[in-house]
Amino acid sequence: MAFLSTQPYKGTRDFYPDDLQIRDWIFSKMREVCASFGYREYDAPMLEPFELYAAKSGEEIVNQQLYWMMDKGDRKMAVRPEMTPSMARMVAGKIHELPKPVRWFSIPNLWRYERPQRGRLREHWQLNVDVLGADPLYADAELLTLAFSMIRKFGGEAHVSIRVNNRRLMDELFGKRMGLSAENTLKVTKAIDARPKIGEEKYAAALSEAGVTDAQRKDLESFFSSSLEKVATDFPCAGSEELVKLFRLLEESGIAASGSEAKVVFDPTIMRGLDYYTGTVFEMFDTSPENNRAMFGGGRYDNLVGLFGKDKLSGVGFGMGDVTLRDFLETHSLLPKMPGTVDVFVSLPKEESRGQAERIARDLREAGLRVITPLEVGGFGTQLKQAVKHGARHAVLFGDAEFAEGKVLIKNLALNSQETVAFGEIVEKIRG
Ligand code: HAM
């Protein structure tokens, strides 16, 4: 009989305890930063009606990446590929009760049928942070400030750039200036978004298919290298005005400065692959060429909550994936050595000492320490090795002579020191 494979499904990961400890450490930092800005955590089901994504998520996610199924009641269901539609549904469901602005975050696992590669898997976890129902630019600025604080929390601020653009500015350029239809605008947007992946030849072909002339393509190129000041002068419109104001707010928040120090920069090539963005859009990149995938992406959406009823609420948010973040932290040696998970190993040399060993273990646990016992009788050397292997900081060892006097030997495995201690003083000694 052939054995079953020990490998997880393609594009997914098992989290052995060492990996889960790292994931939990990452999530706890994320939670700390979100809480420090007053954001509250929410969650939603992993299965949603298919239409939730068909409405706004965009062609790539819906037609190529969605995992979907028919349930036994003949309902077409999808496994969530992103959290934003569920969040919008939840906000719409209690739109009048929720205190505004709504400041929420979540860390869901998401599924996308992708070709697995560095930075892209079929299942990933994604921190989602969103704020709805506030002055749009103040909210955009807060969210970008939070995103920057997030990366600072991991010690990575020297290795990232956050690139910001505005969909309205691009609509002005593509629609009014270049005369493209909405359909062709979408095609051009997708081609610019995919340019690093598809290469120059396919990019040029996609543009000409969308009705962009060679001369217009040249103009686009010079637009892409323009400063915000130049764009604001050449393209006065709501989009460029919003960008100018946003950068002023970001300077006040201390995260955008002019000159080479800037961490948040204007980048007119940022489009975002999802269809629901209507204003500010942004992505964060690792400056190391090893990691060329965006570490997070997001933007403003005006028309999502309105899908669920007549009340509208504009919002802005971002998603930051755990796969790219872990690559980033490893590339820049920002992952600390994880702390041990066991404080004390209480040995068991003989069956007769088990009662006393269990009492000691119980007292230590009640004092808040993490204690393991060997679950089998064994010699001093073997048990000491076990204690070391499990990463215990202390081992409680029973010698015959000490035991007879109501004492044990406590070994500090980190310092490699030891002392004899009476049963009643063990907790105090170990807690220090
Ligand atoms: P997204 O750009 O599709 O946006 O994903 C955001 C981030 O999730 C990416 O920058 C990347 O770090 C990570 N990510 C996405 N797909 C994968 C994958 N297959 N494997 C590994 N990591 C991945 C959204 O999903 C928006 N819903 C974000 C948002 C929240 N917009 C507003 N609020």
Side-chain angles (χ1 to χ4, degrees):
M1 188 191 86
F3 291 114
L4 296 173
S5 169
T6 58
Q7 292 304 304
Y9 167 59
K10 186 174 174 180
T12 68
R13 293 158 292 171
D14 289 323
F15 289 88
Y16 283 84
D18 283 349
D19 290 313
L20 193 60
Q21 194 181 2
I22 294 175
R23 194 179 89 186
D24 283 348
W25 177 83
I26 290 175
F27 289 1
S28 73
K29 298 268 164 210
M30 290 173 166
R31 289 193 167 98
E32 271 175 50
V33 175
C34 292
S36 76
F37 280 76
Y39 285 59
R40 299 196 65 198
E41 188 163 3
Y42 68 97
D43 204 354
M46 222 161 104
L47 286 183
E48 291 275 13
F50 184 90
E51 309 88 71
L52 192 67
Y53 307 104
K56 280 274 175 196
S57 291
E59 191 274 334
E60 189 185 19
I61 282 196
V62 177
N63 295 339
Q64 297 171 33
Q65 299 181 337
L66 212 56
Y67 282 82
W68 62 270
M69 58 181 230
M70 300 303 291
D71 78 2
K72 288 185 181 156
D74 246 4
R75 294 173 204 90
K76 192 171 181 182
M77 304 301 294
V79 183
R80 61 186 176 197
E82 57 157 339
M83 196 62 168
T84 313
S86 305
M87 181 276 305
R89 177 178 61 69
M90 286 171 67
V91 170
K94 293 205 173 192
I95 197 157
H96 297 296
E97 292 105 293
L98 293 171
K100 314 290 177 316
V102 176
R103 289 184 166 97
W104 278 9
F105 78 97
S106 188
I107 316 180
N109 57 333
L110 306 176
W111 287 79
R112 296 183 188 181
Y113 193 77
E114 292 250 18
R115 191 169 54 79
Q117 55 197 284
R118 186 167 171 83
R120 280 288 173 276
L121 295 177
R122 291 185 176 171
E123 184 191 34
H124 76 284
W125 271 255
Q126 193 190 86
L127 168 69
N128 275 251
V129 188
D130 289 87
V131 49
L132 297 97
D135 175 279
L137 291 176
Y138 277 42
D140 295 357
E142 172 168 296
L143 204 81
L144 283 161
T145 308
L146 186 155
F148 192 70
S149 302
M150 187 68 68
I151 213 68
R152 189 185 284 143
K153 185 84 180 175
F154 289 104
E157 69 273 21
H159 310 290
V160 295
S161 74
I162 299 181
R163 304 186 199 156
V164 183
N165 194 13
N166 188 298
R167 276 270 178 108
R168 287 189 196 187
L169 167 68
M170 303 317 285
D171 286 346
E172 166 85 13
L173 173 73
F174 296 137
K176 292 216 181 108
R177 301 284 174 109
M178 292 169 61
L180 300 181
S181 65
E183 197 189 320
N184 280 338
T185 295
L186 194 65
K187 281 191 194 155
V188 172
T189 310
K190 301 259 178 242
I192 297 170
D193 191 49
R195 189 174 178 178
K197 267 188 271 172
I198 60 178
E200 288 309 300
E201 215 172 295
K202 282 194 179 150
Y203 166 72
L207 256 57
S208 80
E209 198 187 306
V212 177
T213 63
D214 285 352
Q216 283 178 323
R217 185 149 56 83
K218 263 202 184 139
D219 289 347
L220 252 188
E221 222 46 54
S222 85
F223 174 82
F224 287 155
S225 55
S226 302
S227 67
L228 181 54
E229 292 71 28
K230 183 162 165 45
V231 168
T233 315
D234 295 353
F235 295 86
C237 63
S240 58
E241 278 166 25
E242 282 181 7
L243 275 166
V244 170
K245 179 158 182 215
L246 178 61
F247 271 87
R248 204 178 65 236
L249 297 177
L250 292 174
E251 272 190 44
E252 285 167 10
S253 303
I255 61 161
S258 32
S260 58
E261 293 290 290
K263 294 290 169 214
V264 186
V265 293
F266 167 60
D267 182 344
T269 64
I270 296 300
M271 297 292 151
R272 303 285 297 130
L274 295 153
D275 285 355
Y276 45 70
Y277 297 116
T278 45
T280 303
V281 282
F282 49 85
E283 288 188 336
M284 183 171 77
F285 289 87
D286 186 344
T287 47
S288 158
E290 228 169 290
N291 301 317
N292 58 0
R293 294 280 180 178
M295 283 170 65
F296 71 64
R300 170 154 295 281
Y301 42 86
D302 287 332
N303 309 319
L304 269 186
V305 172
L307 292 175
F308 303 90
K310 58 182 173 10
D311 297 304
K312 290 193 167 159
L313 200 64
S314 167
V316 61
F318 71 81
M320 178 182 198
D322 69 325
V323 181
T324 38
L325 179 61
R326 180 138 180 206
D327 287 347
F328 172 79
L329 296 175
E330 279 171 357
T331 301
H332 300 287
S333 308
L334 294 169
L335 265 185
K337 185 172 168 337
M338 291 294 130
T341 53
V342 176
D343 297 312
V344 190
F345 179 94
V346 178
S347 67
L348 186 60
K350 291 185 180 152
E351 202 141 350
E352 304 84 78
S353 43
R354 186 168 178 278
Q356 186 58 44
E358 283 295 295
R359 257 191 301 281
I360 293 171
R362 193 171 57 231
D363 289 349
L364 287 164
R365 286 184 186 123
E366 276 170 12
L369 292 155
R370 297 161 302 175
V371 181
I372 56 170
T373 56
L375 301 183
E376 63 190 350
V377 173
F380 187 91
T382 322
Q383 299 213 337
L384 198 57
K385 263 193 213 148
Q386 245 194 72
V388 171
K389 206 161 179 191
H390 285 285
R393 281 191 298 120
H394 293 92
V396 173
L397 302 164
F398 298 96
D400 283 344
E402 288 92 355
F403 192 73
E405 288 174 26
K407 291 181 179 167
V408 294
L409 195 66
I410 296 182
K411 218 170 159 48
N412 184 322
L413 297 166
L415 303 177
N416 205 16
S417 60
Q418 60 186 54
E419 59 186 312
T420 308
V421 176
F423 289 163
E425 288 163 15
I426 297 173
V427 171
E428 215 182 297
K429 193 72 354 13
I430 290 183
R431 250 197 337 203

